[in-house]
C-alpha cells in the first residue's frame, strides 16, 4: 500500500475517504460511541451502509433507542491483528436519529441491517456522517 | 459455554467480571471512547492491564493527552467474527488520568504497554475501572 520510504517516515497512513466508504460498505459490524447520561459508552452493533448513512436496528426499549433524538455519535470499524501488531480503523463522526420516513423504512426492512441477536428490534437508527477518517497503523519495528 | 436451552432463551450471554478481567489481561489492543469538545470520539490504542488499571502510552501533544486530567471514558475490547456472526466484547467505564507517580512510571517503562506506532509517546494514561461488563452475542439462527 505504501513504498518502503513512506513507511520509514510515517507510522500512520491515512486511508482516503473514498476507501473508507468502501470499507464501510463491505463490513457489517462496528462500534458506536456516545455520551450517555452516566458517561461515555461504546457498544458493538451490526449495521448496513445505506445511501451514505450508517443504519442499524435496535429495540425501542434498549439503551441505543436514546439515539433516536438527534444525538452526536462516533461510529468505528476496524481490524486489529494483535499478533502482527498491525491494523486499520475507520471513524465516522456525525449525528444519529431515528428513521421515521415510511419509504426509507420499507427499503430498510427489505435491504437493511439484520441484527445477530433475536428479540424485537424494530427501531432503525441512522447516522449521517459529518466526517469520515481512516488510518492504517503498523508496529514501528516493521520499518 | 451455555447449554442449548440457555441459548434458546437469551441472545446475549453475560461474561462474568472475573472472565472480563482475564480477557483484558491477555489482549493488548482496544478502543477508547470519550466526549471530545467536538463530540464523541473513539480511538484504537494498545494497552496493558496493570494493577487492575488500563494503561496506555501516548504523545504529550496528541489528542489522547487531553485524557490526562481526570476525564470519564469508556474502554472496549472485542472480537467480532462477521462471517459466522458471533462475537464478544468487554466494556470498561471509568476515569482516565495521567500517571505522574514516579514509582508507577518506572514500573510502566519496564513492563508497561508498548505503542505500535513510533514517535515520542512518553505520556502514560491510566484508566481506573468503575464498572466492567462483558457479553457474548451470537446470531439468532445459531439457536
Amino acid at each position: 500500500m505504501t513504498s518502503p520510504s513512506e513507511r520509514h517516515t510515517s507510522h500512520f497512513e491515512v486511508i482516503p475517504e473514498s476507501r473508507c466508504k468502501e470499507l464501510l460498505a463491505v463490513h457489517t459490524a462496528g462500534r458506536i460511541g456516545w455520551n450517555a447520561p452516566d458517561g461515555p459508552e461504546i457498544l458493538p452493533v451490526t449495521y448496513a451502509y445505506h445511501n451514505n448513512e450508517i443504519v442499524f436496528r435496535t429495540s425501542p426499549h434498549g439503551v441505543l433507542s436514546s439515539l433516536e433524538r438527534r444525538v452526536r455519535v462516533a461510529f468505528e470499524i476496524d481490524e486489529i491483528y494483535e499478533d502482527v501488531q498491525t491494523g486499520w480503523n475507520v471513524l465516522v463522526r456525525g449525528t444519529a436519529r431515528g428513521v421515521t420516513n415510511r419509504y426509507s423504512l420499507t427499503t430498510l426492512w427489505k435491504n437493511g441491517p439484520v441484527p445477530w441477536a433475536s428479540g424485537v428490534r424494530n427501531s432503525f437508527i441512522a447516522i449521517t456522517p459529518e466526517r469520515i477518517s481512516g488510518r492504517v497503523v503498523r508496529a514501528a519495528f516493521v520499518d
Side-chain angles (χ1 to χ4, degrees), chain A residues 23-128:
Chain A
L23 288 164
L24 286 167
V26 296
H27 287 274
T28 57
R31 298 149 203 94
I32 184 158
W34 75 101
N35 202 33
D38 57 345
E41 182 88 66
I42 299 178
L43 218 62
V45 293
T46 52
Y47 74 98
Y49 189 57
H50 181 78
N51 286 345
N52 293 312
E53 292 191 317
I54 316 288
V55 186
F56 56 92
R57 256 169 72 183
T58 186
S59 155
H61 312 295
V63 61
L64 286 170
S65 67
S66 67
L67 304 180
E68 282 179 350
R69 292 169 161 271
R70 302 195 72 76
V71 174
R72 288 192 60 80
V73 298
F75 178 80
E76 195 252 13
I77 61 171
D78 65 39
E79 284 186 304
I80 297 177
Y81 305 101
E82 294 185 338
D83 49 348
V84 290
Q85 302 195 0
T86 180
W88 61 264
N89 84 310
V90 169
L91 180 67
V92 174
R93 297 177 76 187
T95 304
R97 66 168 207 290
V99 179
T100 52
N101 175 283
R102 190 170 298 195
Y103 175 75
S104 301
L105 285 173
T106 306
T107 312
L108 288 172
W109 276 113
K110 274 194 210 150
N111 308 311
V114 178
W116 295 351
S118 57
V120 180
R121 291 170 188 277
N122 55 5
S123 243
F124 284 95
I125 309 275
I127 302 169
T128 309

Side-chain angles (χ1 to χ4, degrees), chain A residues 128-143:
Chain A
T128 309
E130 285 152 26
R131 211 172 78 204
I132 301 179
S133 57
R135 61 184 196 176
V136 176
V137 62
R138 291 193 180 83
F141 60 66
V142 170
D143 292 335

